[in-house]
Amino acid sequence: MGKRAKKTAPYIPTTNGKAEQFIKTLLVEWTNVMPCSNSSGRNELLPAYLRIYSGHRCRMALGSLTPRQRLA
């Protein structure tokens, strides 16, 4: 199973739901759970959050697997 980009129609949220949900999740979890006093500090924490998001958070849509487990 290879990776490939999937393009969606611009300005049509119904075709871009997964990206919209990811952004919402980032706003709720990354900015609130990992609070910082400035943007540069928050940017430094982004790689750590993405490792948690991709490697440790189970997804119901993936049968309770993490994205990393699903791709393996």
Side-chain angles (χ1 to χ4, degrees):
M1 184 184 313
K3 297 178 190 176
R4 56 180 188 194
K6 185 175 182 181
K7 296 183 180 182
T8 62
Y11 307 108
I12 302 176
T14 55
T15 62
N16 205 16
K18 290 181 182 178
E20 295 290 337
Q21 183 60 47
F22 177 69
I23 292 168
K24 181 179 175 182
T25 301
L26 277 177
L27 289 173
V28 170
E29 293 183 5
W30 175 49
T31 58
N32 293 337
V33 174
M34 300 176 132
C36 291
S37 58
N38 57 40
S39 291
S40 62
R42 190 175 301 115
N43 290 339
E44 290 175 15
L45 291 175
L46 182 59
Y49 175 76
L50 292 176
R51 281 191 299 276
I52 293 167
Y53 184 85
S54 296
H56 301 288
R57 281 181 91 241
C58 296
R59 310 295 198 290
M60 296 305 294
L62 298 178
S64 296
L65 298 173
T66 66
R68 186 172 293 144
Q69 291 170 328
R70 177 70 171 92
L71 291 174

